[in-house]
Amino acid sequence: MLPLKTPTRFLLSLLLLLCSTFVHSQQVTGIWKGKIDKKKVEIKIIQKGDSLTGTAYYYESASNYRRFSVKGYFDKSTNSVVWWDDQLIEDRGDFGNHVIPLLSVADFNCPGGGEMYLNGKASIAENPEEIKGNVALTKLGDPYFPDEWDFVVDNYTIGANDPDIIDSVFLIAFAPIKREAEEPLFDHAPVVHSPPKKKELAVIPMPAITTIDSDIKPLSIEKKFISRQKKVAVEIPIEGDSVELRFYDNAQIDGDSISLFLNEKLLFTNIRLSDKAYIIKLAIDDLNENNELTMVAENLGTIPPNTSFMVALVGEKRYEAKLASTEHSSAMIRLQKPIQHSGF
């Protein structure tokens, strides 16, 4: 094969550069429709830096759906888009337990002609190793479900990509929607009236921030403890002088942070899990006969769920347990003293 001449090499390099620039200039932000685990879905993804937010509608019709808030991140080096269903915002119709929070990992593909796809796999958010099905989404223009995020999608390239605007819309969209029982449900695709696009950032209509309830605040760790289901992970018999508990991040170190409650009272907070043990010691004389130690996730890190590896040392005995905590459940460890039998 003859070597390429310099002008040819230059043109080829320029073409490759332009192709690469075109791919990375495509926006993950937008409205994506298709199926995840064979379920119809519409997802509105909003990119803010490397992180993602937005909303996901799993639906059978316009009046039968579940809506989740979405969090995730975009890895530009691999064109991978990772997102998970964070919190259930709205539940309409009769889905039962057919829709559970999912974690999706997809490749961002732009074959040309304005076509964009997300193709990958979805797993259970609480157990990423359990694959549920395929992700097959196409980026389309008009939404099937109108909501607050349409403003950001429509105006993203002319100023609505500002983090303050995204945070403001998120605060509105995050609030659970309350609908009156007599409100008629539409049974067809709703008509979408997008706000007019503006060419100047200064005149972009801001969302109605005044509609935000001033009492809406992130849940305190105490409220998270109360509202989440407690799942017993392990029961440990205790005796002697003390029990030593060591907590590690169970998987990749991704910023997991937890709080610990002992018998419904906050014991420790802001525990950042890592490959180094966070150690607590409990005097057994100060404990009840039956004790409940609950691990509550303060966040889910970058790879949900929040998982930890616990080692309990009781005298010369060693106990181990893998603990998982999510936005919906907390891991509980039962510490039990031996039953005292009274003699006669």
Side-chain angles (χ1 to χ4, degrees):
M1 180 180 294
L2 296 176
L4 293 175
K5 296 182 179 180
T6 300
T8 305
R9 289 200 301 268
F10 173 76
L11 291 174
L12 181 58
S13 300
L14 180 61
L15 179 61
L16 291 174
L17 177 61
L18 290 174
C19 290
S20 175
T21 302
F22 175 78
V23 170
H24 288 287
S25 67
Q26 304 309 299
Q27 294 179 24
V28 174
T29 295
I31 300 167
W32 298 85
K33 301 180 184 179
K35 290 188 176 182
I36 296 179
D37 187 26
K38 300 180 181 180
K39 299 178 181 67
K40 291 188 291 186
V41 64
E42 174 176 292
I43 299 181
K44 299 177 185 181
I45 297 178
I46 311 298
Q47 185 173 355
K48 187 179 74 169
D50 292 332
S51 65
L52 305 174
T53 188
T55 190
Y57 295 86
Y58 296 87
Y59 67 96
E60 293 180 359
S61 69
S63 59
N64 189 6
Y65 63 89
R66 275 188 174 179
R67 179 187 179 191
F68 288 89
S69 62
V70 165
K71 292 183 180 179
Y73 60 91
F74 177 42
D75 188 344
K76 292 183 180 179
S77 63
T78 61
N79 261 7
S80 295
V81 183
V82 180
W83 72 93
W84 54 89
D85 302 325
D86 187 48
Q87 293 196 31
L88 180 63
I89 299 176
E90 195 175 11
D91 192 352
R92 301 292 299 274
D94 184 23
F95 259 90
N97 294 322
H98 297 297
V99 176
I100 59 175
L102 297 177
L103 166 68
S104 297
V105 181
D107 293 326
F108 181 36
N109 299 316
C110 308
E115 297 180 351
M116 284 176 259
Y117 305 99
L118 289 174
N119 297 305
K121 297 290 184 181
S123 58
I124 296 177
E126 293 188 3
N127 184 15
E129 296 180 359
E130 184 175 344
I131 302 298
K132 287 290 291 180
N134 295 323
V135 174
L137 303 176
T138 302
K139 188 176 183 182
L140 299 174
D142 296 328
Y144 189 53
F145 296 92
D147 62 27
E148 300 84 359
W149 290 116
D150 297 341
F151 167 84
V152 180
V153 172
D154 290 341
N155 297 280
Y156 190 79
T157 59
I158 54 173
N161 59 346
D162 185 280
D164 291 337
I165 295 178
I166 295 174
D167 290 343
S168 298
V169 175
F170 178 83
L171 188 57
I172 299 172
F174 183 79
I177 297 174
K178 296 181 180 179
R179 299 185 186 272
E180 298 297 332
E182 63 271 13
E183 179 184 356
L185 300 178
F186 49 82
D187 56 4
H188 57 278
V191 177
V192 179
H193 299 285
S194 300
K197 296 184 179 181
K198 304 294 182 179
K199 294 183 179 181
E200 300 294 334
L201 174 59
V203 295
I204 292 177
M206 282 291 292
I209 304 301
T210 54
T211 63
I212 299 176
D213 186 347
S214 60
D215 292 332
I216 296 177
K217 298 178 181 179
L219 291 179
S220 66
I221 194 62
E222 289 83 2
K223 290 183 178 179
K224 289 180 180 180
F225 168 77
I226 294 171
S227 64
R228 295 176 184 175
Q229 179 185 5
K230 282 74 174 176
K231 295 184 178 180
V232 178
V234 63
E235 296 184 357
I236 299 175
I238 56 173
E239 56 185 348
D241 297 328
S242 64
V243 54
E244 179 175 306
L245 302 172
R246 302 177 180 179
F247 294 88
Y248 307 81
D249 196 315
N250 185 50
Q252 180 178 339
I253 309 303
D254 63 338
D256 286 341
S257 180
I258 64 171
S259 289
L260 294 175
F261 286 77
L262 179 61
N263 297 329
E264 301 186 350
K265 294 182 179 180
L266 181 60
L267 190 63
F268 296 101
T269 189
N270 297 324
I271 300 174
R272 190 70 174 266
L273 298 177
S274 69
D275 57 345
K276 297 181 180 179
Y278 183 90
I279 301 174
I280 66 172
K281 289 186 177 182
L282 303 174
I284 293 180
D285 286 344
D286 295 336
L287 298 177
N288 303 327
E289 290 186 1
N290 295 292
N291 305 273
E292 295 180 347
L293 182 69
T294 305
M295 184 190 86
V296 181
E298 296 178 349
N299 63 16
L300 299 183
T302 58
I303 306 175
N306 186 318
T307 55
S308 70
F309 178 69
M310 185 199 71
V311 175
L313 302 178
V314 183
E316 297 181 354
K317 296 181 179 180
R318 175 188 175 99
Y319 302 88
E320 298 179 355
K322 294 181 180 179
L323 310 177
S325 182
T326 71
E327 294 286 356
H328 309 287
S329 64
S330 299
M332 178 188 293
I333 304 102
R334 284 186 174 150
L335 304 172
Q336 298 178 326
K337 293 181 180 180
I339 299 175
Q340 301 292 333
H341 297 282
S342 59
F344 293 96

